Every structure is written in C-alpha cells, then in structure tokens.
Amino acid sequence: MAEFLTPQHEDFSKWYNEIVLKADLADYSPVRGCMVIKPYGYTLWERIREELDRRFKATGHVNAYFPLFIPQSFLSKEAEHVEGFAPELAVVTHGGGKKLDEPLVVRPTSETIIGHMYAKWIQSYRDLPVLINQWANVVRWEMRTRLFLRTTEFLWQEGHTAHATSDEAMEETMRMLNVYTDFAVNEGALPVIPGRKSEKEKFAGAVATYTIEAMMKDTKALQAGTSHYLGQNFAKAFDIQYLDENNELQYVWTTSWGVSTRMVGAIVMAHGDDHGLVLPPRLAPIQVVIVPIWRKNKEKAAVLAAARNIEARLRGLVRVKLDEREGLSPGWKFNDWEMRGVPLRVELGPRDIEREQVMIARRDIPGREGKVSVPLTALETTVQTLLDTVHQALYQKALDFRESHTYDVKTYDELKEAVQHGFARVLWAGDGEDEEAVKAETKATLRCLLAEPAETPGKCVYTGRPTDQVAIFARAY
RNA sequence: CGGGGCAUAGCGCAGUUUGGUUAGCGCGCACGGUUUGGGUCCGUGAGGUCGGCGGUUCAAAUCCGCCUGCCCCGACCA
C-alpha cells in the first residue's frame, strides 16, 4: 500500500499535522496561529460539547454568555492572574476609528469579568451557589501554536461557580474534575489520571488546580481538562460579598473549570494509527458508514436499494452515512473512511445481498481480522453491540498502552530514563525550583500529584526527603 | 524571541548549483468512456503575477539585498 500518511513511529508530529488536515478536521488560517475548524472537526467538537453540556446540566449548572471584551484594568485586579496572562493578551486599542480611553482585552479566560458581574448579582447567602457555564472562544497570544493543541484562538467551555463556603467550592471543584474524568473515559475512551497541579503548574490566580492527564501515542502527556479551586482570590479582587444567615458580610468562594478544543487533539493522538483517525464511537460524527459495492451497472440498483434500506434501519439508532459517491472504488472509500476514523464500516455487495448479510469492519482492528459477516436480521443489535465493543477496546488499548509506558521509579537517574519512554511515577517532595531543575535536565514536567498517598512511603526521587506523595512526571504537550 | 528548514498549478514536488526562447511531473479537479469485494484504467481539458518588493543583467523561478508567511526544534502555555 502506498503511503498516504507519515507513519507515527517515523515522525509523530508530522503524522499529527497530516492527519488533522487529511481527515478534514481543520485547516490553517491566514492569521498566524489560528485555525479553521472544518465541518468534520467541528461536528466532533459538537459531540464533545453535547456530552459535556449534558453532564453540566445534570450537575445543576446553567449556561450564560459573557462578553469577549474585558476592560484591561480588570485583569490587573488579581495579582497572580495578571502576571500569568499579561504576556499572552490581545489588546484592542481602537474602536470606531477612535483610540479607546481604556484598552479592551480580548478574554484569555473570563474569571475577571464574571467576577465583576457576580459582585453585582450576589447579595445574600440565598443567592448562592451560582453555577454558571459558558461556551465561548478565548484568545491567548501563544508563541508557538499547533492545530487543536495550542491555537491563538480556541473554543472551550468555562464554568464559573460561587459558593458560600470553602468546602462547597472544593466539593464543586472535585465534582467537575470527576465529570471530566467520566466524560473522558465514557465518551472519549480516553483513560486519564486525575490529580492536582503543583504550585508551579497551577492556574494563575487559583489556590489549587486539578487536572486530568492523558497519555498520547508518543508517550507524551496532555492535559485534557482542568478544574480550579479559586478560594477567595477573585472574590476579594472583585469584592464578591454576601450577607450570611447572621447578617455578616462574607466573601464567596469560587471555582472555575474548563475543557477546550484541545480535547480533539487528545482524541486524535490517543487513538489514531497509521491509517488515520480512530474515533471513539460515542463521539464520532459518523458512527457507521455504508459502502455499497457493485460490479456491473445492473447490480447497482439492487445494491443501492439494499444499502438505502440498511441506512433507513440504522438511522435514528446510530449516526449513519451511506457513501453513494460515484466513480470511486470500494477500496478507495474504505481507505477514505479509515482516514476519517469512522468506527464501523458496513460493506454491502451482490454476494452479501444473495446471502442476506453484510460485512462489518471495525476501524480499531485493521484489515480482514476486523471484519465479520452479519446476517441482516441481526443488523441493528450487532451494530450497537459492536459500537460498545469498539469503545471498550479503544479504552482498554489506550489504558494498556499507558500502563506499559508508566514506570515506578525510585531514583532520579531512573526518572531521567523513564520520561524518555513515558510517565514516571515517583515519590515527590520537591518545590518549584526542584521541578525547574528536573525540567531543565529532562524536559519533563510534574504533570500531577495523585490524591492517594503511596502505600509505602519513602524518599523523594529528587530531594531525598521522606514523603508519601506520589507524582507523575512526563514530557508534555 | 533564538536555532533550523521551506515558499514554483488545489496538494506533493522537479527545475535554482552553472541565468537563455513556450516552466515541467505526479496526484487532485472538469468532461467522455471504462471500471468498482482494499487507494481502477484510457483519452481530452482547465489551471501559474515561480511568496512580495527592490537590485544586477541584453535576459532572472535561477544571482544579490530587504521583507513576509508557514513548518520543525527551544524558551512560554489549555
């Protein structure tokens, strides 16, 4: 077979760039660092959005929309926040042909403007909690960009909640981390490690940042979602106060949490193979593609009729597409849909019609081994079962991959070696400077600190100090 | 912002070293026919300010200068 795609082992980065373009997920825009999300990629994002949104609603959240433009002064109200974002802000200085009195920042995230509004809206403990999410675009002027993984403008959701107590806010923070984990596993077939970010890696302005970290097929880590416990930092910066039951003025406790279009990149890099995308069935824009096969023109009508019948039977049950394109051979279409990662392919030709069956090919198992013949009577049930099977198989495969590339190491030398091949799981008691040193030497960063203490405490892999805190180190996106 | 690479048809490239008349090739695209169980075949055709500006020259895709953009690596980051 000719090469349509750079093999992953040859150049993973190149493979990624090619597949994003060839699978029609996105295209480069005329503006540096920005991307056009094409319909196929956008539909995938819509699926992600639908499944996340469903979970947000189920946990009591409502959607709202806050403006793109933020007065520049807002950003500086929270010291860490401004420091964290200042270098990557896009600033509007002119409007309507005139220089603005105060420049407007294009939101890099909305804590500040939402904090400002919450201060207005929240008066009493009866107003709490406020549980708002917004789906929006944000802009961060990144030095180096990659499609979906890091673009100047990207799409995301950002939840912003305000609570009466610290405990409630922390509970919310963890609830949403769990929502993200559940989404990643059950929709994306993406095994993730939930954990807390180190002081060095946490969100600018947060008291604590929690993350879900996934392993990509090049063994690098990718942060797929974050949930921040903001304490009273923004409440104090924006004066968000309420009167409690005792008529005493209190600052609220806030959280924020987000998942971005980067999730698309995570899915591409966690499941994709040398034939192209491999999409998790529950998120795939098209779950089942039907490729009709005919040899002679006189066969065409019968095959197409049968194919349309199958499409009609599956429609409503799954997201199905019948590929009626003319002039393309079945083999060409097979490869085309494999490139696009469609989980199941139904092949239907004269032989199948004669035998009252179809061939169903699984995207996650390339070639003949992934094909089964299915009697027409069992079409619907088999398709639905297979979609679940593929989901499970993808999850298990990704999990096995991560596990076989995760190393429990005891010494710094071992860590240095381990992060060249995957995740290093270590005991850690170092500080930000120690992390910096590890990064300078290994290019690996502290991805997250696990909630569970080590079963057998020991010495920090770097400082030698006694600890039971477990950390994951890895090279990361 | 530093280092490297690239810029010629929609995409991928050759041609540039050593300047020379009409800038080629593959894929894709359009049309006609043929075909279709793992990227069919034949024919016809459309498509180019050779990234931009300036310079050298009788003559520039080719040599020189400046600029711009993109990709990769690094610093920064979801």
Side-chain angles (χ1 to χ4, degrees):
Chain A
M1 184 184 120
E3 297 291 351
F4 297 97
L5 198 58
T6 299
Q8 292 183 333
H9 65 84
E10 193 178 302
D11 187 340
F12 191 82
S13 197
K14 196 170 176 190
W15 171 87
Y16 179 82
N17 288 331
E18 285 179 6
I19 192 56
V20 168
L21 296 177
K22 290 188 177 181
D24 260 341
L25 294 178
D27 201 354
Y28 291 104
S29 97
V31 178
R32 176 197 183 82
C34 294
M35 70 171 163
V36 176
I37 305 177
K38 296 180 75 175
Y40 193 59
Y42 197 79
T43 307
L44 178 55
W45 173 241
E46 284 182 320
R47 286 293 309 135
I48 292 169
R49 229 171 50 184
E50 284 161 12
E51 293 302 332
L52 283 173
D53 206 62
R54 188 161 65 76
R55 285 168 170 77
F56 299 157
K57 302 282 169 57
T59 44
H61 302 85
V62 290
N63 286 330
Y65 185 79
F66 296 84
L68 174 70
F69 297 126
I70 301 176
Q72 192 171 43
S73 58
F74 279 25
L75 266 294
S76 19
K77 289 193 179 184
E78 211 285 335
E80 265 188 53
H81 195 63
V82 65
E83 197 181 322
F85 282 107
E88 52 192 62
L89 293 180
V91 183
V92 178
T93 56
H94 290 72
K98 289 182 198 152
K99 189 165 185 290
L100 300 174
D101 290 339
E102 180 181 357
L104 297 171
V105 164
V106 180
R107 64 178 163 223
T109 178
S110 302
E111 273 76 7
T112 58
I113 192 152
I114 292 180
H116 174 85
M117 297 314 296
Y118 280 7
K120 249 174 101 170
W121 297 343
I122 296 167
Q123 308 292 330
S124 153
Y125 71 94
R126 296 179 204 277
D127 297 328
L128 297 172
V130 176
L131 305 173
I132 291 180
N133 175 67
Q134 86 162 338
W135 291 94
N137 57 339
V138 287
V139 167
R140 297 181 186 178
W141 218 261
E142 300 290 349
M143 293 175 184
R144 198 174 146 205
T145 57
R146 295 193 67 190
L147 296 175
F148 288 110
L149 300 175
R150 178 165 298 105
T151 44
T152 299
E153 178 189 9
F154 58 96
L155 307 183
W156 77 346
Q157 57 70 214
E158 46 179 327
H160 294 270
T161 68
H163 307 263
T165 68
S166 168
D167 283 353
E168 274 183 45
M170 183 53 90
E171 196 182 311
E172 167 79 1
T173 306
M174 300 316 292
R175 178 183 301 117
M176 300 323 286
L177 186 70
N178 289 337
V179 161
Y180 289 158
T181 304
D182 178 66
F183 165 80
V185 170
N186 292 311
E187 309 298 342
L190 192 66
V192 292
I193 301 177
R196 185 168 57 85
K197 284 291 184 187
S198 66
E199 282 300 300
K200 180 176 180 294
E201 298 279 337
K202 76 175 188 189
F203 173 72
V207 172
T209 290
Y210 296 83
T211 175
I212 50 172
E213 298 284 328
M215 183 185 279
M216 304 295 100
K217 277 203 169 168
D218 60 353
T219 75
K220 285 167 79 173
L222 186 136
Q223 177 177 310
T226 49
S227 185
H228 313 291
Y229 169 73
L230 303 174
Q232 294 184 314
N233 289 353
F234 286 91
K236 287 178 176 167
F238 287 90
D239 206 28
I240 316 173
Q241 298 191 80
Y242 70 97
L243 280 173
D244 67 13
E245 295 91 325
N246 305 314
N247 202 36
E248 284 172 23
L249 214 45
Q250 305 282 357
Y251 285 108
V252 300
W253 303 79
T254 64
T255 81
S256 67
W257 26 273
V259 160
S260 73
T261 34
R262 177 182 246 199
M263 182 60 83
V264 173
I267 286 164
V268 171
M269 290 196 294
H271 299 308
D273 64 20
D274 286 346
H275 298 276
L277 293 184
V278 177
L279 295 179
R282 293 169 198 167
L283 295 179
I286 300 168
Q287 296 174 298
V288 180
V289 65
I290 303 165
V291 178
I293 297 157
W294 60 84
R295 197 184 293 276
K296 307 177 184 78
N297 250 342
K298 62 177 181 182
E299 292 169 344
K300 181 176 166 182
V303 169
L304 267 184
R308 284 177 186 145
N309 183 42
I310 286 168
E311 184 198 16
R313 282 173 62 178
L314 292 176
R315 188 169 297 283
L317 293 174
V318 296
R319 295 183 290 278
V320 59
K321 179 177 178 65
L322 170 58
D323 186 352
E324 292 197 40
R325 287 178 294 178
E326 303 268 352
L328 298 173
S329 73
W332 196 97
K333 290 181 179 179
F334 295 169
N335 285 285
D336 191 45
W337 291 112
E338 280 173 7
M339 183 79 82
R340 288 171 166 72
V342 176
L344 294 181
R345 180 179 66 241
V346 172
E347 305 174 7
L348 176 71
R351 288 208 297 270
D352 301 299
I353 292 173
E354 200 175 306
R355 296 176 198 165
E356 299 190 329
Q357 64 167 40
V358 292
M359 295 297 294
I360 301 186
R362 283 172 60 172
R363 175 61 182 88
D364 64 317
I365 306 178
R368 198 159 287 278
E369 305 84 75
K371 290 193 190 187
V372 287
S373 63
V374 175
L376 276 177
T377 49
L379 178 71
E380 290 89 342
T381 52
T382 307
V383 162
Q384 285 175 307
T385 305
L386 274 176
L387 286 172
D388 282 338
T389 306
V390 171
H391 174 88
Q392 287 304 330
L394 286 183
Y395 178 78
Q396 196 57 46
K397 193 174 176 186
L399 183 62
D400 290 346
F401 182 81
R402 189 188 77 194
E403 290 304 308
S404 63
H405 292 86
T406 299
Y407 310 94
D408 286 296
V409 298
K410 299 265 184 289
T411 68
Y412 185 48
D413 278 343
E414 288 172 333
L415 182 151
K416 283 193 272 191
E417 176 64 18
V419 296
Q420 302 310 312
H421 307 104
F423 288 5
R425 190 160 43 201
V426 300
L427 288 171
W428 181 258
D431 60 18
E433 280 182 28
D434 298 324
E435 283 177 55
E436 194 54 55
V438 172
K439 186 181 179 185
E441 197 169 356
T442 67
K443 290 177 184 165
T445 50
L446 203 174
R447 300 318 301 159
C448 64
L449 300 157
L450 304 190
E452 294 293 311
E455 285 178 18
T456 51
K459 287 180 175 176
C460 168
V461 71
Y462 190 73
T463 65
R465 288 196 281 266
T467 183
D468 64 355
Q469 179 173 256
V470 183
I472 304 288
F473 274 85
R475 293 159 303 140
Y477 280 95

